[in-house]
Amino acid sequence: MHDDNAHDHHDHAHGHDHDNHYSDMQARVKALETLLTEKGLIDPAAINAIVETYETKVGPRNGAHVVAKAWSDPDFADWLRRDATAAIASLGFTGRQGEHMRAVFNTPETHNLIVCTLCSCYPWSVLGLPPVWYKAPAYRSRAVIDPRGVLAEFGLTLPEGKEIRVWDSTAELRYLVIPERPEGTDGMDEVALAGLVSRDAMVGTAVAGSPEALA
């Protein structure tokens, strides 16, 4: 696990849909959504807005709070390293898909990237719903084979000497990346710091924003 292609892999629990097509349940949901839309009983735009909220606002804000507290409070950061599940729960972020968590910290020497190679295991309690690209077969396979190339496609080019560690989420254990704290943020409080933390930075496909980005 000390080269760019190294990754932590755990056996996934049975019961996941591991193919790249809709499961029976997904197909039924799609059919029901189509029928209700045709009858004018639901508005697809409203549904998309709700999904967007959970994908990019509600969930990621929780994770950003965790990151900002880790940046601001060394004791909390140490607790997060030792027992992420308990540390995150202490902030009120618990629930299904977040029962067993591990925080992995980016450093000047190491960058962490999260993937679920067989399905789409994802920490809903801190990141909301997984983005479409996280569930895509191309990301699930290439993140392990060519993590540096995948990151470049996201617009993140890392120094050649920086190690990339790829962590494979499972039904039993899900990961949260703690990005490096940006320079020039010493005087910022936790609320302001959280504004620098994006969902993608907590998956590892981006880094935290700079204070200038908030100006």
Side-chain angles (χ1 to χ4, degrees):
M1 272 236 325
H2 298 288
D3 58 62
D4 286 352
N5 292 333
H7 67 285
D8 279 12
H9 184 82
H10 302 276
D11 290 334
H12 283 58
H14 295 296
H16 284 278
D17 173 34
H18 288 162
D19 60 30
N20 300 325
H21 305 287
Y22 288 136
S23 66
D24 289 343
M25 181 59 70
Q26 289 171 323
R28 290 174 184 173
V29 170
K30 283 291 182 182
L32 180 59
E33 181 181 342
T34 299
L35 179 62
L36 293 175
T37 299
E38 290 175 348
K39 290 181 176 296
L41 298 176
I42 63 172
D43 180 1
I47 294 177
N48 289 340
I50 294 171
V51 171
E52 175 69 12
T53 295
Y54 277 91
E55 284 186 343
T56 64
K57 297 178 181 178
V58 177
R61 286 181 180 175
N62 295 347
H65 185 175
V66 173
V67 172
K69 188 167 183 62
W71 285 347
S72 306
D73 185 342
D75 290 337
F76 181 78
D78 181 62
W79 187 13
L80 197 58
R81 287 186 176 91
R82 292 183 287 104
D83 187 349
T85 305
I88 292 171
S90 75
L91 300 180
F93 308 139
T94 60
R96 190 178 180 187
Q97 315 301 335
E99 300 93 335
H100 304 290
M101 294 290 302
R102 179 174 178 181
V104 289
F105 287 68
N106 286 351
T107 70
E109 296 79 28
T110 304
H111 182 89
N112 296 285
L113 178 64
I114 310 304
V115 68
C116 178
T117 55
L118 295 182
C119 43
S120 57
C121 295
Y122 193 77
W124 293 6
S125 59
V126 286
L127 293 185
L129 300 177
V132 172
W133 55 260
Y134 185 85
K135 299 180 285 186
Y139 177 78
R140 285 159 38 197
S141 60
R142 292 187 58 236
V144 173
I145 298 170
D146 180 24
R148 193 174 296 275
V150 167
L151 292 178
E153 292 176 10
F154 275 92
L156 179 58
T157 301
L158 298 175
E160 286 298 325
K162 176 167 283 195
E163 176 191 5
I164 302 173
R165 301 186 71 180
V166 179
W167 303 86
D168 195 354
S169 290
T170 72
E172 291 79 25
L173 182 62
R174 295 157 199 259
Y175 297 90
L176 178 70
V177 173
I178 308 300
E180 292 182 82
R181 181 170 178 166
E183 295 182 0
T185 60
D186 291 346
M188 297 174 66
D189 61 19
E190 286 186 21
V191 173
L193 287 171
L196 303 177
V197 185
S198 68
R199 175 200 64 196
D200 290 4
M202 294 180 283
V203 176
T205 55
V207 295
S210 64
E212 291 76 15
L214 296 179

